[in-house]
Amino acid sequence: MFEIEYELEIEDLIHFNELRLKTDPSIQKELRSKRLLVPAIMLFFGLFYYIAYADTVTTAYITLLALVWGVMSPYYFKMDMRRQLRNSYSKEEQEAILGTHKLVIEPEVLREKSPGGKSATKWSDMLRVDDLPDYVHIFVDIDAAIIIPKKQVTSGDLKKFAKQADSMIERLAD
């Protein structure tokens, strides 16, 4: 029987959601359009201003502003996304999700003890285990996972635990 104990913090939850959003094609398309459409419109107005009034100084300011927007907007959108993710969880949800978690591998289920209570998930209901450089994600749904930050593991061998969980999912998958 394998078991681990770890601490889950808000930054770990935000990191997982950022990974999900980075792989969502519709959100990425929207971000690219916002990043490129606004500077394109500004450059169009700058060109119009230059042709209509022959004012190179104002055109240069508009062009510079468009370039700054194109370069800086991804950082702004990332900060805004993190703020929205932080605010999307109520205080009660954060208290139930964050804190000390204990996972125990049993023959039929994965038992979890968290600040929100105890639960058991059948291996056949799980999808996969992703072993990332800083995290291990045990996916229980397409967009939901048990997040295990490698640096926050306080007891147990995470590498062996993840390997065993992966083999249990493969063996007991429907």
Side-chain angles (χ1 to χ4, degrees):
M1 185 162 59
F2 293 92
E3 69 179 58
I4 60 167
E5 192 169 310
Y6 62 95
E7 292 287 326
L8 187 67
E9 298 173 350
I10 189 72
E11 294 305 318
D12 305 319
L13 198 57
I14 289 172
H15 182 266
F16 174 73
N17 285 302
E18 282 180 349
L19 285 176
R20 278 192 21 232
L21 294 174
K22 283 180 185 176
T23 59
D24 187 339
S26 63
I27 291 176
Q28 291 304 310
K29 182 179 177 183
E30 181 181 338
L31 288 175
R32 271 192 307 277
S33 69
K34 285 181 181 177
R35 181 179 180 195
L36 299 175
L37 185 64
V38 171
I41 292 170
M42 291 172 71
L43 288 173
F44 175 76
F45 280 117
L47 182 64
F48 171 77
Y49 203 82
Y50 179 72
I51 292 170
Y53 301 107
D55 185 359
T56 55
V57 174
T58 305
T59 302
Y61 283 131
I62 293 172
T63 304
L64 181 65
L65 188 59
L67 292 173
V68 167
W69 174 267
V71 171
M72 297 304 291
S73 63
Y75 301 108
Y76 170 76
F77 290 138
K78 187 173 185 176
M79 285 182 355
D80 186 51
M81 179 182 60
R82 285 182 176 177
R83 182 191 54 78
Q84 288 178 19
L85 287 171
R86 217 180 280 282
N87 293 336
S88 67
Y89 295 99
S90 69
K91 190 78 167 164
E92 294 80 27
E93 288 175 321
Q94 286 185 21
E95 288 173 0
I97 295 171
L98 307 177
T100 303
H101 290 250
K102 183 176 184 177
L103 299 175
V104 180
I105 293 178
E106 294 183 359
E108 298 296 321
V109 295
L110 176 66
R111 295 219 180 269
E112 179 179 12
K113 182 182 176 193
S114 67
K118 296 179 181 180
S119 66
T121 308
K122 293 181 183 179
W123 294 109
S124 58
D125 293 342
M126 295 187 192
L127 302 176
R128 69 182 188 276
V129 175
D130 285 352
D131 192 357
L132 304 172
D134 295 329
Y135 293 90
V136 171
H137 297 148
I138 302 174
F139 279 85
V140 293
D141 198 0
I142 291 173
D143 60 349
I146 298 170
I147 306 163
I148 307 169
K150 289 182 177 181
K151 291 180 182 177
Q152 300 293 338
V153 174
T154 56
S155 69
D157 187 346
L158 181 58
K159 190 173 262 190
K160 288 180 181 177
F161 183 89
K163 195 173 190 177
Q164 181 66 26
D166 194 34
S167 68
M168 295 295 279
I169 291 170
E170 286 179 17
R171 186 164 23 117
L172 297 174
D174 285 335

